[in-house]
Amino acid sequence: MLELRKVRRSGSSGPERAQGICLPFILLLLMFTPSVDSSWWYIGALGARVICDNIPGLVNKQRQLCQRHPDLMQSIGEGAKEWIHECQHQFQHHRWNCSTLERDHTVFGRVMLRSSREAAFVYAISSAGVVYALTRACSLGELKSCGCDTHKRGRAHDELGDFDWGGCSDNVNYGIKFAKAFVDARERMVKDARALMNLHNNRCGRMAVKRFMKLECKCHGVSGSCALRTCWLAMSDFRRTGDYLRKKYNMAVEVTMNQDGTGFMAAGRNFKGTTKNELVYVENSPDYCLMDRTAGSLGTAGRVCNKSSKGMDGCEVMCCGRGYDTTRVKRVTKCECRFKWCCSVECQDCEDTVDVHTCKPHKRPDWLDLT
């Protein structure tokens, strides 16, 4: 754990606050701004307090599934924390960093109103998170409606030779089936480009979990030899799914709905492939440089950046050319650790001074950032 203590700060101060004359303008702006629907994603914030009638954002089909399977909702709630954490890991060095809004039923706020590639990723990773959480709970025996995958029986073959199916194969097909029914329920009530986009990306997320199923085996024989093997299918770590969907985000395809409203076609003429296994989006993303309440952008003012990096986390890119402030801080870390018999580790506190760089705010008044 790092302890940071401020010593000296360089750089300009923040912009002055707008005067009271701007208040009527701001109120009118907020009155005529469309609201964001609540989402089932908020289940993750409820913890053990999941009560189906009190969960904001559920449509009737989702509420019915919740009432029939309250134990599954507990697993989905725990899984929501995991996929949100994974989203924030994947985008921690980007202008949009998958930030959530505390005690907000929409979880991500207005940024999800735009049919952008960020929305595409969130829908995919959330759908994958439901599959992963339910499949894991099945194998752990935490759910009444499912258990291990019993379809894996008899003998099979891989590059190492023959093996017997046994153990407890993860029941990923059950997780996919329930995730499809629960997560897709809202989108199936509407027939527009955004609903089609969400359904497509939900499916990509579900299939991403199945893509990384791996064979695990136990050896039987004299002295642990693998003359006989018993094997089962298990999910890989969720990080692999997150890494895969992050790459799909980078290659996401801009699409338009076809004339009969049943599918997509790529907006760019140069795209010659199929969108079946790609994330798709309809609208371009904002640049996320400035605070923009209508777009849901929090801006990058105050974000920590890497002075020496030329990538997305670099100060030039992260700060959108506004420059950065430098704070000199004292960092206290554990050092010179020694094992003491028996059985503890003793460390000293070592202190050094480092520079932390943070993006400067925009120079214009705060109230203009609302437009």
Side-chain angles (χ1 to χ4, degrees):
M1 198 70 183
L2 299 184
E3 177 186 342
L4 301 181
R5 298 199 293 270
K6 186 181 293 187
V7 177
R8 177 176 57 82
R9 184 175 183 86
S10 64
S12 61
S13 60
E16 296 181 357
R17 291 288 178 182
Q19 301 299 316
I21 192 172
C22 304
L23 184 58
F25 170 76
I26 296 172
L27 293 176
L28 283 173
L29 183 66
L30 295 176
M31 285 173 60
F32 290 101
T33 301
S35 61
V36 189
D37 287 335
S38 297
S39 170
W40 65 266
W41 299 331
Y42 192 68
I43 294 177
L46 298 176
R49 298 172 291 133
V50 173
I51 301 175
C52 299
D53 290 336
N54 295 337
I55 300 175
L58 298 189
V59 297
N60 287 336
K61 176 67 178 297
Q62 291 173 326
R63 206 170 298 281
Q64 291 169 5
L65 288 171
C66 177
Q67 291 168 345
R68 287 201 296 266
H69 305 281
D71 53 339
L72 271 68
M73 295 303 110
Q74 288 288 145
S75 296
I76 290 175
E78 290 300 316
K81 299 175 185 176
E82 191 167 357
W83 67 256
I84 289 174
H85 176 77
E86 181 61 28
C87 181
Q88 292 172 344
H89 167 81
Q90 295 294 336
F91 289 90
Q92 60 184 314
H93 298 308
H94 289 68
R95 291 174 182 170
W96 178 77
N97 58 353
C98 198
S99 52
T100 58
L101 303 178
E102 190 174 357
R103 299 188 183 89
D104 191 304
H105 293 170
T106 67
V107 182
F108 297 98
R110 307 182 64 79
V111 71
M112 289 297 115
L113 279 177
R114 186 175 298 215
S115 304
S116 64
R117 64 173 68 216
E118 286 75 37
F121 180 87
V122 168
Y123 276 80
I125 196 74
S126 63
S127 182
V130 173
V131 174
Y132 195 89
L134 293 182
T135 303
R136 180 174 56 193
C138 285
S139 295
L140 293 175
E142 296 174 352
L143 305 178
K144 300 176 183 177
S145 54
C146 68
C148 299
D149 185 354
T150 58
H151 294 92
K152 300 293 183 184
R153 296 178 179 177
R155 293 185 66 78
H157 185 85
D158 66 358
E159 66 275 7
L160 298 179
D162 294 334
F163 63 86
D164 293 318
W165 283 113
C168 179
S169 286
D170 284 337
N171 199 347
V172 69
N173 289 325
Y174 179 90
I176 289 174
K177 182 179 179 180
F178 190 89
K180 181 178 180 180
F182 181 78
V183 177
D184 287 359
R186 174 185 287 273
E187 316 308 328
R188 296 194 181 280
M189 298 174 62
V190 184
K191 292 186 178 180
D192 59 15
R194 178 58 187 267
L196 281 176
M197 168 187 154
N198 292 346
L199 286 171
H200 177 95
N201 293 321
N202 286 347
R203 177 190 169 276
C204 286
R206 292 193 296 268
M207 292 300 103
V209 178
K210 191 171 185 178
R211 179 185 182 91
F212 295 108
M213 296 291 288
K214 60 184 180 180
L215 193 69
E216 293 187 351
C217 298
K218 181 179 180 180
C219 291
H220 308 278
V222 179
S223 300
S225 67
C226 274
L228 298 173
R229 289 186 300 151
T230 299
C231 302
W232 57 93
L233 284 177
M235 293 187 298
S236 297
D237 188 84
F238 194 60
R239 178 57 45 80
R240 292 196 67 185
T241 299
D243 290 342
Y244 172 78
L245 292 177
R246 179 67 177 79
K247 292 178 181 177
K248 291 296 181 181
Y249 164 89
N250 290 338
M251 301 183 294
V253 181
E254 183 179 2
V255 296
T256 57
M257 192 164 62
N258 58 26
Q259 291 184 347
D260 61 8
T262 59
F264 295 117
M265 55 185 177
R269 295 181 179 180
N270 294 330
F271 183 79
K272 303 299 181 182
T274 174
T275 60
K276 181 178 179 181
N277 296 315
E278 307 298 329
L279 297 188
V280 300
Y281 66 97
V282 178
E283 299 177 88
N284 289 326
S285 304
D287 61 18
Y288 300 107
C289 285
L290 303 178
M291 177 175 284
D292 182 347
R293 298 187 191 279
T294 61
S297 172
L298 300 179
T300 61
R303 289 281 301 278
V304 175
C305 60
N306 185 343
K307 180 182 177 181
S308 60
S309 173
K310 301 298 182 183
M312 296 297 293
D313 63 332
C315 291
E316 183 64 28
V317 176
M318 180 70 74
C319 304
C320 309
R322 299 190 307 268
Y324 55 89
D325 293 326
T326 300
T327 304
R328 178 149 289 187
V329 299
K330 284 185 178 179
R331 180 179 61 182
V332 179
T333 59
K334 297 297 183 182
C335 64
E336 298 184 16
C337 297
R338 296 179 180 178
F339 178 75
K340 183 179 179 180
W341 185 266
C342 171
C343 300
S344 64
V345 177
E346 292 185 348
C347 300
Q348 295 183 10
D349 289 336
C350 291
E351 185 177 283
D352 61 346
T353 302
V354 296
D355 288 336
V356 176
H357 310 292
T358 54
C359 295
K360 286 180 178 290
H362 196 257
K363 294 181 180 179
R364 64 182 181 175
D366 284 351
W367 65 272
L368 285 175
D369 289 341
L370 296 172
T371 61

